[in-house]
Amino acid sequence: MADQIPLYPVRGAAAAANRRRAAYYSAAGPGPGAERPSRYQPEDESAHLDEMPLMMSEEGFENDDSDYHTLPRARITRRRRGLEWFVCGGWKFLGTSCCDWLINICQRKRELKARTVWLGHPEKCEEKHPRNSIKNQKYNVFTFIPGVLYEQFKFFLNLYFLAVSCSQFVPALKIGYLYTYWAPLGFVLAVTIVREAIDEFRRFQRDKEVNSQLYTKLTIRGSCFIRTDQLDGETDWKPKVAVSCTQRLPALGDLFSISAYVYAQKPQLDIHSFEGTFTREDCDPPIHESLSIENTLWASTVVASGTVIGVVIYTGKETRSVMNTSNPKNKVGLLDLELNQLTKALFGALVALSVVMVTLQGFVGPWYRNLLRFLLLFSYIIPISLRVNLDMGKAAYGWMIMKDESIPGTVVRTSTIPEELGRLVYLLTDKTGTLTQNEMVFKRLHLGTVSYGADTMDEIQSHLRNPYSQMQPPAGGHTSSTTPPRKAQSAAPKVRRSVSSRVHEAVKAIALCHNVTPVYEPRAGAPTEAEDAEADQDFSDGNRTYQAASPDEVALVQWTESVGLTLVSRDLGSMQLRSPSGQLLTFSVLQMFPFTSESKRMGVIVRDESTAEITFYMKGADVAMSSIVQYNDWLEEECGNMAREGLRTLVVAKRALTEEQYQDFESRYSQAKLSIHDRALKVAAVVESLEREMELLCLTGVEDQLQADVRPTLEMLRNAGIKIWMLTGDKLETATCIAKSSHLVSRTQDIHVFRPVTSRGEAHLELNAFRRRHDCALVISGDSLEVCLKFYELELAELACQCPAVVCCRCSPTQKAHIVKLLQQHAGRRTCAIGDGGNDVSMIQMADCGIGIEGKEGRQASLAADFSITQFKHIGRLLMVHGRSSYKRSAALGQFVMHRGLIISTMQAVFSSVFYFASVPLYQGFLMVGYATLYTMFPVFSLVLDQDVKPETAMLYPELYKDLTKGRSLSFKTFLVWVLVSVYQGGILMYGALLLFESEFVHVVAISFTALILTELLMVALTVRTWHWLMAVAELLSLGCYVASLAFLNEYFDVAFITTATFVWKVSAVTVVSCLPLYVLKRLKRKLSPPSYSKLSA
């Protein structure tokens, strides 16, 4: 009988369209074309989809012409071969492939298999499983030093200086003292090793804390509630059911005396499914029970209510939480990569300059040795102090961020990428706990002709008192047989009922149609008795809490309690309500139809024990309920009004059933559940037979309270040119509602909801439909996203990147990380991920910049992030102020340090060319060390205090942030300007000193070096945009140190000469000529072409 239940098709129009499309693709004219098979066959849709262009227009399906819109770029590009491929990146690909091969050889992953676990008999387990521990450390004792050194020397800058320093051990190549090369390099490596060691120790401590937590609890009633916020981001409590045959054992110790085992599927990524069996062999016949997701408690979930004892199936790396967490990567900022490219360009200039010098020598003698010596002489073109200054600057930026009183509690956990905060284009955010507080508040009840809001809830209380006013309180706590009067309805069913009656029916429906369970926690100091203690428990409001699979459900039940109708108890078969007069109303739960993402509704059939009336209550989304309820003219309009207010709406309806109608339904429903084929479809068809002409009771509006200042923060980020994507594990309707209420999607913007797709053909058609939409936000589910990423990854990324906002719902942790990686590869822009739960860790670690929020979902995301904040609104100041300052300061600092090396290398080149291209150093020993440290370090480093605009201006005009993403503060253009400045100043300083040449060579060194120090100090002053008192102190301190050291450097300076007026005016003349023209040009540029922020600053 069950297999004969009819399945009614619901997509007649879609089927007709499919037939037209199939006819179109199978149409062929006479001749050879007629022999060709159809290009689109519904029964094998993916067979020939490679031949079908994704950009096909809708007309192509409907008409008989074949106009194709081609893709903007070919999906399969021509591959480079041979030498061109090797030069254009093939060498890097080969090197990476070899390293990956070696790593795979050293760390072979064991194959994941299904397993059988025996209760109480671990010796029967043949296979060994991973240790039940979590490890987030990057290195171990043996790989720490090699790993850290590899991460440092993979940068060209450090590798270059390692080679230069090693060359000084060769006598023929020795230029100066060893300490002038090895001391700076050793300092950089020491700082890095100490910093990594501290970070590794902190990770070790965090892992130790997590691994020390164990489950040691037992359940009595066969069910419990867990929280999965660290796994999927949802903070609602989910019910879990124990294996039934183990619940019948007399004592807990009997678990170890029975012969039973669990067979489980192999470890998988999917956290929403599980397949297994429980078998007990010492019974006749053996007991077999199927296991599903309802019987599992994944690692990283929390037992919120009840107690549990379980069998450990997956351990360590095979747990769902670890499999969905990616390994942390060493993040490198975009500015570091850009500087790395510039150092390569400088190395090219260094080689070219050395070759020119050897060529002008005429390749006489051992020219190759002279070439190497010139390479070493000009090695200051690439300054080793660049890494030292940048690392110290980053530490300073982190300290400033943590000391900012406007964003208290902010922690910088990765001090190497603060500049990334100023280069972000995509922000990927979690929803629950990040944008919202996950605290639902009941806001609106609409009955069609009357609406109740927060300020009129007292009227609902008065309306509820009327139906129950004639009911007498129960004697002895038992349910009274007296029922609420229903005179209007029974006497004249067609007559409009009174407002009180309609309010009563609506509130009662809300109080009954849910999956909420009240839990009474024992009071402090009260002894806990056996499981039957609940029977004698008082239903006082003080120690009652509600558990449910959704916070919306809890908000609705809490609201009914506030207006007088309280849910006091519930089990699998019944529930009790307490009326405003204290009457206990008992209802038997006959059937429950839980909410699913497909049906978008849930229902319950209850029997009133006092009247034996059977009622089918249902609530759900308006899109699902509008075709189920009786005709009305207000539902669609009011749903739209509430949605615009950011409220989550639910439509509540009911249908009265006779005993005969229910018995008929129960028979058909039981048969459908026993069906072998198409069970889900047949069960849905039987339930749909009840969902006809239901009486519309009310429309509810619940608000998920947003975090403080979420709307202005999102608006600020949008104005700054940052595209915001919301990735959440929540339902589609909830995610869409929050996107609207938070103004992630503006009110005037259209929303394109990507239809569910399960095959390549459906994804093909839906992507075509999406391409025809312009300037609309995209909402897509995780399942549909998975299908599109499998077949049309580049096309989906291209379309999504054009959207002003994207919402991805029902996303797994792995999918979140995949989306971040897709954006990085396709868009090539910097990404930032922000979240507060354990399910956000993979996304945070994959993003270029990860931000964690310390919230209700724990500190797992906060500890794994690069930056930790306490509220979402703090991200505005973190990006607009600190991100801007860090990037601008590091760009200026890096270029100035390179200028400092270029100018002295230019002077060396001029000196060598004048003296017959001799490979002799101009400055030696302490002069070179002092130039890079004591004499110029403090003023140059003081640039980390500079700012182009005030913090208030940066927050008020977020549009200024757009310029940062273009990278104009550090580019080949700005670098070339600094090169020209360095060449001009180096030439002027050296030629000026030579023109003012006296009788001895030492005077040239004294004049040129003193003018060089003064020029550097003046250039810092010219570069500064906003003076800080520490900058002036640094300038004066450096100048004082140089003047004081002149008295001790008798080896390089003639004390009698440097104290004369001649020395003073010659040095002053050379310095003025090198700096004055640049100052004039800077003033003219600021006057004729002022920067965008200059007017705002004024």
Side-chain angles (χ1 to χ4, degrees):
M1 175 180 177
D3 292 332
Q4 298 177 356
I5 297 175
L7 302 178
Y8 300 99
V10 294
R11 290 190 177 181
N18 286 335
R19 286 195 295 271
R20 290 197 299 271
R21 293 166 183 156
Y24 167 71
Y25 282 114
S26 60
E35 303 296 330
R36 188 170 56 194
S38 167
R39 292 181 65 195
Y40 183 83
Q41 300 176 3
E43 63 273 10
D44 189 12
E45 58 184 7
S46 61
H48 304 291
L49 277 172
D50 284 332
E51 304 175 13
M52 190 193 310
L54 180 63
M55 292 296 294
M56 179 167 291
S57 63
E58 185 68 21
E59 291 80 6
F61 287 118
E62 305 297 338
N63 303 328
D64 288 336
D65 56 340
S66 55
D67 293 334
Y68 291 163
H69 297 291
T70 57
L71 285 170
R73 59 178 175 179
R75 293 182 59 204
I76 303 177
T77 58
R78 180 178 64 88
R79 296 183 178 179
R80 298 187 178 97
R81 294 294 182 188
L83 182 62
E84 180 187 6
W85 172 80
F86 185 81
V87 173
C88 296
W91 62 272
K92 184 183 293 186
F93 173 76
L94 288 176
T96 305
S97 300
C98 292
C99 292
D100 292 341
W101 179 77
L102 289 174
I103 292 174
N104 289 332
I105 291 297
C106 298
Q107 299 178 345
R108 289 190 176 182
K109 293 184 178 179
R110 60 189 300 270
E111 182 182 357
L112 300 178
K113 299 179 181 179
R115 69 275 316 272
T116 300
V117 181
W118 290 81
L119 269 67
H121 300 282
E123 68 277 0
K124 292 186 178 182
C125 296
E126 298 178 356
E127 291 190 29
K128 292 184 177 181
H129 301 293
R131 290 183 60 194
N132 194 24
S133 61
I134 296 174
K135 183 179 180 181
N136 290 316
Q137 296 167 252
K138 297 180 182 178
Y139 313 102
N140 57 37
V141 177
F142 302 102
T143 62
F144 177 73
I145 296 297
V148 173
L149 292 180
Y150 168 76
E151 290 297 329
Q152 288 302 304
F153 290 121
K154 74 179 182 180
F155 288 103
F156 178 80
L157 179 67
N158 293 342
L159 185 61
Y160 166 76
F161 268 99
L162 177 64
V164 169
S165 300
C166 291
S167 69
Q168 294 305 290
F169 290 108
V170 181
L173 301 179
K174 189 173 181 180
I175 298 296
Y177 299 106
L178 285 177
Y179 71 86
T180 60
Y181 292 92
W182 282 100
L185 183 61
F187 177 75
V188 171
L189 295 179
V191 170
T192 304
I193 290 174
V194 170
R195 184 179 61 199
E196 284 293 332
I198 293 174
D199 290 344
E200 276 294 283
F201 182 70
R202 289 174 178 171
R203 294 189 194 101
F204 168 76
Q205 287 184 317
R206 293 199 298 265
D207 291 345
K208 185 177 180 181
E209 179 183 354
V210 172
N211 291 328
S212 63
Q213 298 173 355
L214 299 173
Y215 289 109
T216 56
K217 295 186 176 180
L218 168 70
T219 185
I220 300 298
R221 292 184 296 175
S223 65
C224 70
F225 285 85
I226 66 168
R227 284 204 343 259
T228 60
D229 45 14
Q230 294 298 324
L231 196 62
D232 57 14
E234 299 183 22
T235 56
D236 46 293
W237 294 9
K238 297 178 176 61
K240 295 294 178 179
V241 181
V243 179
S244 60
C245 79
T246 60
Q247 298 303 299
R248 295 190 290 268
L249 296 175
L252 176 61
D254 295 337
L255 280 172
F256 301 100
S257 61
I258 64 175
S259 177
Y261 63 87
V262 174
Y263 176 80
Q265 64 181 167
K266 68 178 183 180
Q268 295 181 349
L269 288 172
D270 190 2
I271 61 177
H272 299 295
S273 66
F274 173 76
E275 294 179 1
T277 57
F278 178 87
T279 303
R280 183 175 179 181
E281 294 183 330
D282 56 354
C283 297
D284 190 20
I287 298 176
H288 301 278
E289 288 192 32
S290 63
L291 303 178
S292 65
I293 188 66
E294 294 182 349
N295 308 113
T296 61
L297 283 77
W298 298 137
S300 298
T301 59
V302 178
V303 179
S305 176
T307 51
V308 173
I309 185 169
V311 180
V312 178
I313 303 296
Y314 306 119
T315 57
K317 297 179 180 179
E318 295 180 348
T319 59
R320 293 295 204 268
S321 58
V322 175
M323 293 183 69
N324 276 278
T325 301
S326 58
N327 293 325
K329 64 176 183 178
N330 292 301
K331 298 185 179 181
V332 180
L334 181 59
L335 183 127
D336 291 325
L337 297 176
E338 292 169 343
L339 286 174
N340 200 45
Q341 295 296 329
L342 293 181
T343 55
K344 293 178 182 179
L346 288 175
F347 180 74
L350 167 63
V351 174
L353 181 59
S354 302
V355 171
V356 169
M357 300 298 285
V358 173
T359 304
L360 293 176
Q361 274 186 336
F363 293 97
V364 295
W367 62 269
Y368 53 87
R369 188 178 67 183
N370 292 333
L371 176 62
L372 293 176
R373 286 183 62 87
F374 276 121
L375 287 173
L376 296 174
L377 279 175
F378 300 141
S379 63
Y380 284 95
I381 287 180
I382 307 175
I384 183 63
S385 58
L386 179 61
R387 284 248 56 94
V388 178
N389 281 276
L390 286 178
D391 288 345
M392 293 176 62
K394 291 175 180 181
Y397 307 147
W399 183 83
M400 294 176 189
I401 292 173
M402 290 189 287
K403 292 298 180 181
D404 190 346
E405 296 181 355
S406 300
I407 47 175
T410 302
V411 179
V412 178
R413 303 193 188 277
T414 305
S415 60
T416 57
I417 56 170
E419 305 91 355
E420 291 294 276
L421 296 171
R423 308 291 297 278
L424 302 177
V425 177
Y426 289 96
L427 175 66
L428 300 100
T429 175
D430 181 37
K431 177 190 72 70
T432 307
T434 303
L435 297 179
T436 69
Q437 301 179 25
N438 203 38
E439 294 180 358
M440 307 297 174
V441 178
F442 191 94
K443 288 290 186 180
R444 189 73 54 83
L445 178 70
H446 205 292
L447 302 179
T449 57
V450 60
S451 175
Y452 298 96
D455 53 345
T456 55
M457 292 300 175
D458 54 340
E459 297 182 19
I460 296 180
Q461 295 179 0
S462 61
H463 285 309
L464 274 182
R465 294 190 189 99
N466 296 332
Y468 295 104
S469 58
Q470 300 179 4
M471 302 175 64
Q472 300 298 324
H478 297 285
T479 305
S480 170
S481 60
T482 308
T483 61
R486 303 179 59 180
K487 299 178 181 178
Q489 187 177 3
S490 58
K494 301 296 183 181
V495 178
R496 185 183 296 272
R497 292 178 298 170
S498 65
V499 175
S500 296
S501 176
R502 292 166 59 199
V503 168
H504 168 248
E505 289 294 331
V507 175
K508 186 170 75 170
I510 296 173
L512 290 173
C513 187
H514 53 72
N515 60 4
V516 180
T517 301
V519 175
Y520 295 87
E521 300 293 340
R523 291 170 180 164
T528 56
E529 300 297 336
E531 62 268 19
D532 59 349
E534 186 177 334
D536 300 328
Q537 199 168 19
D538 66 309
F539 299 135
S540 60
D541 299 334
N543 61 340
R544 179 174 57 246
T545 58
Y546 294 112
Q547 300 173 1
S550 170
D552 303 64
E553 301 273 72
V554 175
L556 293 173
V557 173
Q558 286 177 339
W559 174 77
T560 61
E561 178 185 358
S562 68
V563 296
L565 199 57
T566 305
L567 175 68
V568 293
S569 68
R570 178 177 187 161
D571 53 33
L572 295 177
S574 67
M575 66 177 78
Q576 280 188 328
L577 304 180
R578 187 174 62 205
S579 68
S581 60
Q583 178 78 20
L584 285 182
L585 310 174
T586 304
F587 296 86
S588 298
V589 179
L590 304 179
Q591 298 289 346
M592 278 289 298
F593 312 110
F595 179 91
T596 63
S597 56
E598 293 79 18
S599 66
K600 298 180 176 60
R601 56 189 181 271
M602 66 91 60
V604 60
I605 300 179
V606 298
R607 176 187 280 117
D608 190 337
E609 291 298 320
S610 60
T611 62
E613 292 180 352
I614 301 176
T615 309
F616 173 38
Y617 292 105
M618 176 165 283
K619 68 180 178 185
D622 57 303
V623 292
M625 298 291 292
S626 57
S627 60
I628 295 176
V629 299
Q630 298 171 351
Y631 172 77
N632 60 87
D633 56 358
W634 60 272
L635 181 60
E636 182 178 357
E637 179 182 358
E638 292 302 327
C639 284
N641 293 337
M642 288 191 186
R644 281 186 286 273
E645 296 178 21
L647 301 181
R648 303 163 69 159
T649 57
L650 283 174
V651 180
V652 184
K654 79 166 187 174
R655 179 184 176 184
L657 300 177
T658 63
E659 187 68 31
E660 292 76 14
Q661 287 176 327
Y662 173 72
Q663 293 299 333
D664 176 65
F665 164 79
E666 185 183 29
S667 174
R668 292 184 291 119
Y669 188 63
S670 300
Q671 290 291 335
K673 289 195 294 183
L674 294 176
S675 177
I676 299 175
H677 303 291
D678 298 324
R679 178 186 299 177
L681 290 175
K682 291 173 181 177
V683 167
V686 173
V687 175
E688 286 177 5
S689 65
L690 285 183
E691 300 171 347
R692 296 173 183 172
E693 292 296 311
M694 298 190 70
E695 178 186 351
L696 176 60
L697 296 179
C698 65
L699 175 67
T700 65
V702 176
E703 180 184 41
D704 187 356
Q705 291 186 322
L706 298 174
Q707 295 277 1
D709 297 331
V710 162
R711 294 190 181 102
T713 302
L714 290 178
E715 183 179 0
M716 176 193 299
L717 297 175
R718 268 201 308 270
N719 293 337
I722 298 176
K723 293 186 176 181
I724 306 168
W725 290 30
M726 186 170 76
L727 313 181
T728 176
D730 216 332
K731 300 187 292 290
L732 186 143
E733 294 79 13
T734 305
T736 306
C737 184
I738 294 301
K740 291 179 180 178
S741 63
S742 65
H743 295 176
L744 176 67
V745 177
S746 63
R747 296 184 178 182
T748 59
Q749 233 166 36
D750 291 333
I751 295 180
H752 178 82
V753 179
F754 204 90
R755 295 178 182 176
V757 296
T758 57
S759 63
R760 185 175 184 180
E762 293 177 354
H764 187 103
L765 299 176
E766 189 59 28
L767 283 171
N768 277 336
F770 176 43
R771 190 178 289 277
R772 289 188 291 271
R773 302 291 298 271
H774 300 286
D775 192 32
C776 66
L778 171 65
V779 179
I780 186 171
S781 66
D783 295 336
S784 301
L785 178 69
E786 193 71 26
V787 175
C788 292
L789 291 179
K790 182 178 180 181
F791 299 111
Y792 299 110
E793 181 176 287
L794 293 180
E795 289 80 3
L796 177 65
E798 179 187 351
L799 293 173
C801 288
Q802 298 172 2
C803 297
V806 176
V807 177
C808 298
C809 57
R810 287 296 179 192
C811 276
S812 67
T814 306
Q815 283 179 326
K816 291 183 178 183
H818 193 174
I819 293 172
V820 174
K821 187 175 182 180
L822 182 67
L823 277 178
Q824 292 171 339
Q825 294 176 344
H826 179 80
R829 297 302 187 95
R830 310 311 279 178
T831 59
C832 174
I834 180 171
D836 69 322
N839 64 312
D840 303 316
V841 169
S842 295
M843 171 178 70
I844 287 173
Q845 292 179 339
M846 180 60 67
D848 299 303
C849 178
I851 301 177
I853 300 180
E854 292 190 12
K856 296 181 178 178
E857 298 185 22
R859 299 182 61 199
Q860 193 168 345
S862 167
L863 295 174
D866 305 307
F867 303 90
S868 172
I869 59 179
T870 56
Q871 297 184 53
F872 181 82
K873 66 178 181 179
H874 291 170
I875 195 175
R877 186 174 179 88
L878 191 63
L879 269 57
M880 300 301 117
V881 177
H882 294 287
R884 178 186 187 85
S885 300
S886 299
Y887 170 60
K888 286 275 191 178
R889 291 165 176 170
S890 287
L893 180 62
Q895 292 178 114
F896 201 94
V897 172
M898 287 189 289
H899 155 74
R900 192 171 62 181
L902 281 167
I903 190 173
I904 198 168
S905 298
T906 303
M907 296 175 69
Q908 176 68 56
V910 173
F911 172 77
S912 296
S913 62
V914 169
F915 288 94
Y916 308 101
F917 308 103
S919 56
V920 178
L922 173 60
Y923 307 122
Q924 293 184 2
F926 185 76
L927 290 184
M928 293 304 299
V929 177
Y931 172 71
T933 56
L934 188 62
Y935 299 151
T936 61
M937 182 178 69
F938 297 116
V940 172
F941 186 71
S942 68
L943 290 175
V944 301
L945 301 173
D946 192 20
Q947 62 181 23
D948 54 350
V949 295
K950 295 181 179 179
E952 296 78 13
T953 305
M955 293 288 289
L956 189 60
Y957 300 99
E959 292 79 7
L960 295 173
Y961 189 87
K962 292 181 181 179
D963 292 335
L964 305 181
T965 60
K966 300 174 183 177
R968 293 176 177 173
S969 297
L970 178 64
S971 62
F972 275 102
K973 179 181 178 181
T974 60
F975 172 67
L976 183 60
V977 171
W978 278 104
V979 170
L980 295 176
V981 169
S982 303
V983 171
Y984 165 76
Q985 289 186 326
I988 290 296
L989 291 175
M990 199 63 236
Y991 277 115
L994 291 174
L995 289 175
L996 302 174
F997 188 85
E998 291 291 335
S999 58
E1000 297 180 9
F1001 175 72
V1002 70
H1003 294 165
V1004 178
V1005 175
I1007 293 174
S1008 62
F1009 192 78
T1010 304
L1012 174 64
I1013 297 299
L1014 294 177
T1015 298
E1016 287 297 296
L1017 297 181
L1018 288 175
M1019 284 300 295
V1020 172
L1022 291 177
T1023 306
V1024 170
R1025 288 161 292 202
T1026 304
W1027 279 91
H1028 190 279
W1029 66 271
L1030 285 176
M1031 294 179 175
V1033 171
E1035 292 266 337
L1036 296 175
L1037 180 63
S1038 296
L1039 182 60
C1041 289
Y1042 178 68
V1043 172
S1045 66
L1046 292 178
F1048 305 99
L1049 300 176
N1050 299 327
E1051 182 182 354
Y1052 309 104
F1053 300 105
D1054 183 358
V1055 180
F1057 175 71
I1058 63 177
T1059 56
T1060 61
T1062 304
F1063 173 78
V1064 175
W1065 79 262
K1066 289 181 179 180
V1067 170
S1068 301
V1070 174
T1071 305
V1072 169
V1073 174
S1074 68
C1075 294
L1076 184 60
L1078 298 178
Y1079 174 75
V1080 174
L1081 289 175
K1082 180 180 179 181
R1083 298 296 298 178
L1084 287 176
K1085 180 184 178 182
R1086 185 173 286 268
K1087 187 73 174 178
L1088 300 177
S1089 179
S1092 58
Y1093 56 81
S1094 59
K1095 294 181 180 180
L1096 301 178
S1097 299

